[in-house]
């Protein structure tokens, strides 16, 4: 187990990719804090699974789209588990609307959760690492849409493009503190957020035609990369995006 003695916080960790990452980090030996927004049902289930692995785990209720709550999730994790070594900025939302119809509220909600939250949770984490004189890992769950246009999802693409530059900048600035910063950019992953796609053959077939490996990704495909980046195997990797998309990014074309 590569993460024995480590403590990780996964935002939006109650389901989907976040749940898979939390479970994989626990399997590698880490203790976990699972951030959730409102409904504790999913978190209780994953906490039970992690406890069965013999790891410590706590739920942290925080809306990371609120600056104080994003910072508070880090502080609460440190208070409850006694430290923090790995921050996984996973929480994210998207809104489907033509650019001319995007409302200010929808724009701000996407930017706040997807970019502002990771900015200030990372800041709180960096301060913790500085004050405790220890290194750490920041792993952002970005998207192929930090590179790939996605019509009708402009705020989402803006947030992921911003996350790419945030990662690059922090990788340089936080390196003297021993903190590595990297992004994981999933492509089409089989999660609840893609339920409409999964149940629509007319949408799914052309997408699969754009994926050289011929299938959707699974949350575990992303989780395995997160476990690698969190471990000492990735000590010399920082400032980069690892794309997990079955080849979609470099084979994509509008139908």
């Amino acid at each position: 187990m590569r993460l024995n003695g480590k403590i990780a916080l996964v935002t939006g960790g109650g389901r989907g990719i976040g749940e898979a990452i939390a479970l994989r980090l626990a399997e590698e030996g880490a203790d976990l804090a699972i951030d959730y927004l409102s409904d504790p049902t999913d978190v209780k289930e994953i906490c039970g699974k992690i406890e069965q692995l013999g790891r410590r785990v706590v739920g942290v209720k925080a809306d990371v789209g609120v600056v104080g709550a994003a910072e508070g999730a880090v502080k609460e994790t440190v208070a409850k588990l006694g430290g923090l070594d790995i921050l996984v900025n996973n929480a994210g939302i998207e809104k489907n609307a033509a650019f001319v119809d995007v409302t200010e509220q929808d724009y701000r909600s996407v930017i706040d959760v997807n970019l502002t939250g990771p900015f200030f949770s990372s800041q709180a984490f960096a301060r913790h690492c500085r004050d405790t004189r220890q290194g750490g890992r920041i792993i952002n769950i970005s998207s192929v849409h930090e590179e790939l246009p996605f019509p009708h999802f402009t705020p989402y693409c803006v947030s992921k493009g911003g996350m790419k530059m945030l990662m690059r900048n922090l990788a340089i600035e936080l390196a003297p503190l021993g903190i590595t910063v990297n992004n994981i950019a999933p492509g089409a992953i089989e999660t609840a957020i893609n339920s409409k796609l999964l149940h629509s053959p007319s949408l799914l077939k052309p997408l699969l035609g754009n994926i050289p490996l011929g299938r959707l990704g699974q949350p575990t495909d992303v989780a395995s990369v997160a476990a690698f980046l969190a471990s000492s195997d990735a000590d010399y990797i920082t400032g980069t995006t690892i794309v997990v998309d079955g080849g979609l990014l470099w084979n994509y074309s509008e139908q």
Side-chain angles (χ1 to χ4, degrees):
M1 293 191 292
R2 295 178 291 181
L3 300 177
N4 275 335
K6 301 296 184 181
I7 299 169
L9 165 62
V10 180
T11 67
R15 62 180 64 184
I17 290 174
E19 176 184 7
I21 290 173
L23 284 172
R24 181 58 187 273
L25 297 185
E27 289 171 356
E28 293 283 353
D31 295 325
L32 267 297
I34 310 296
D35 158 72
Y36 66 99
L37 178 58
S38 56
D39 185 359
T41 304
D42 293 331
V43 173
K44 288 180 180 178
E45 183 175 347
I46 186 175
C47 284
K49 294 178 181 178
I50 291 172
E51 287 173 344
Q52 289 178 0
L53 294 170
R55 310 313 308 169
R56 295 184 300 154
V57 60
V58 296
V60 175
K61 183 178 180 180
D63 179 358
V64 296
V66 177
V67 171
E71 297 170 333
V74 171
K75 295 175 182 177
E76 185 174 345
T77 299
V78 172
K80 288 184 173 181
L81 293 177
L84 183 58
D85 306 285
I86 303 156
L87 171 64
V88 182
N89 288 310
N90 166 76
I93 62 172
E94 61 184 29
K95 303 284 185 179
N96 184 346
F99 174 69
V100 295
D101 297 325
V102 173
T103 66
E104 179 181 357
Q105 181 179 357
D106 284 348
Y107 170 83
R108 291 191 181 280
S109 63
V110 171
I111 296 298
D112 284 348
V113 173
N114 295 5
L115 186 56
T116 306
F119 184 104
F120 286 100
S121 61
S122 296
Q123 184 185 72
F125 177 71
R127 288 171 174 168
H128 165 72
C129 294
R130 177 198 62 191
D131 294 345
T132 57
R133 298 181 182 276
Q134 65 175 37
R137 298 280 197 268
I138 296 175
I139 302 168
N140 301 312
I141 306 306
S142 181
S143 167
V144 291
H145 297 296
E146 69 172 46
E147 295 281 357
L148 183 68
F150 193 11
H152 288 214
F153 291 87
T154 298
Y156 182 80
C157 293
V158 169
S159 71
K160 297 305 183 180
M163 178 173 275
K164 178 180 178 180
M165 188 51 69
L166 174 66
M167 172 271 292
R168 288 180 168 185
N169 221 59
L170 295 189
I172 297 169
E173 189 167 344
L174 301 183
L177 297 177
I179 301 171
T180 64
V181 189
N182 294 288
N183 283 5
I184 301 174
I189 305 298
E190 193 170 331
T191 62
I193 199 171
N194 287 321
S195 59
K196 181 180 178 181
L197 170 69
L198 295 172
H199 294 92
S200 175
S202 64
L203 295 175
L204 183 58
K205 185 177 179 179
L207 173 60
L208 292 176
N210 276 324
I211 301 174
L213 290 185
R215 68 171 177 87
L216 297 182
Q218 298 299 314
T220 51
D221 292 321
V222 182
S224 62
V225 178
F228 164 69
L229 289 174
S231 76
S232 59
D233 291 338
D235 277 351
Y236 203 55
I237 299 175
T238 195
T240 194
T241 295
I242 297 179
V243 179
V244 183
D245 71 345
L248 169 67
L249 182 60
W250 300 118
N251 195 55
Y252 183 82
S253 62
E254 291 287 349
Q255 301 297 315

